[in-house]
Amino acid sequence: MYPESDDLNDYLVSDAVIDWQTPAVREKALELTGSLPDEVAKARCLYEWVRDTIPHSHDAGLDVVTCTASEVLLHGTGICFAKSHLLAALLRAVGIPAGFCYQVLRLDPPVDNEPVLHGFNGIYLASLDRWIRVDARGNTKGIDAQFSVGKEQLAFAMDPEADEFIYEAIFAAPVESVVNRLRSYKSRSELWDDLPQCL
């Protein structure tokens, strides 16, 4: 894996989607991490909070579509991309650079082998001088994603023979195809029929 940009400031930006300067987002980040001693502890806390406290909309049977970090926090739900937006915003709010990673999977093998894009995060830990990848999608149905500075443990294993793969770049901003798709639908059930298949 490698960062799309060599400037870590690009991974701290607050913008229309990763809107960490929104008071509610900033305050939640500070509330969760205020008593923690270092960036690794803060990153782990924020990751586990988003993974475990914000349910994936499909798992929870919720039909709302969220996109921006503040929307995910307000509604308390989002699909993988939206959850990655919130996690990045919370991390950036406490000064930890965070970016976006994408993986191509099959939608529901062996029933549906259509490719589908999945989103998660890259986090830069200055004390370790390296990036790690984490997946806050939510641990259900046998998924066991974890925060680890050692062995990476994402939500989904890949089958290269089925053309599943991870894009190696860590993007500084969510890719346009994902943001446009999230903003095009009000209903998750409608979005589910038109998920992005690649970047």
Side-chain angles (χ1 to χ4, degrees), residues 74-88:
L74 175 65
H75 293 283
T77 192
I79 66 169
C80 61
F81 306 118
K83 291 187 67 171
S84 77
H85 299 169
L86 176 59
L87 178 55

Side-chain angles (χ1 to χ4, degrees), residues 3-164:
E4 174 193 29
S5 170
D6 292 329
D7 186 349
L8 287 175
N9 289 319
D10 292 340
Y11 294 90
L12 291 167
V13 168
S14 181
D15 59 23
V17 177
I18 314 305
D19 53 349
W20 67 258
Q21 291 190 5
T22 303
V25 176
R26 189 172 64 249
E27 288 164 12
K28 177 56 71 174
L30 295 174
E31 170 196 325
L32 290 167
T33 62
S35 64
L36 299 176
D38 59 61
E39 61 165 3
V40 175
K42 291 178 180 181
R44 181 189 300 274
C45 169
L46 294 173
Y47 162 76
E48 291 178 348
W49 187 83
V50 173
R51 184 193 65 189
D52 300 340
T53 306
I54 304 293
H56 188 288
S57 307
H58 181 66
D59 295 345
L62 300 171
D63 212 30
V64 63
V65 177
T66 53
C67 178
T68 70
S70 58
E71 287 172 349
V72 180
L73 185 60
L74 175 65
H75 293 283
T77 192
I79 66 169
C80 61
F81 306 118
K83 291 187 67 171
S84 77
H85 299 169
L86 176 59
L87 178 55
L90 293 170
L91 289 161
R92 291 180 182 190
V94 296
I96 299 174
F100 306 92
C101 303
Y102 299 96
Q103 181 176 15
V104 173
L105 301 165
R106 290 171 296 158
L107 185 60
D108 186 22
V111 178
D112 189 342
N113 289 316
E114 282 292 307
V116 64
L117 197 64
H118 172 62
F120 51 103
N121 294 94
I123 304 173
Y124 181 74
L125 298 171
S127 60
L128 304 178
D129 190 25
R130 63 184 176 91
W131 290 87
I132 65 168
R133 293 187 297 207
V134 297
D135 192 335
R137 177 237 176 267
N139 287 343
T140 55
K141 299 178 182 176
I143 294 171
D144 185 26
Q146 299 294 330
F147 181 96
S148 175
V149 297
K151 184 179 179 182
E152 185 173 88
Q153 193 166 339
L154 303 175
F156 299 108
M158 286 184 301
D159 182 357
E161 292 185 3
D163 296 322
E164 295 182 335

Side-chain angles (χ1 to χ4, degrees), residues 103-104 115-117 165 167 175 177-178 181 195-199:
Q103 181 176 15
V104 173
V116 64
L117 197 64
F165 66 94
Y167 291 95
V175 294
S177 59
V178 164
R181 203 64 57 90
L195 290 168
Q197 296 185 324
C198 60
L199 296 185

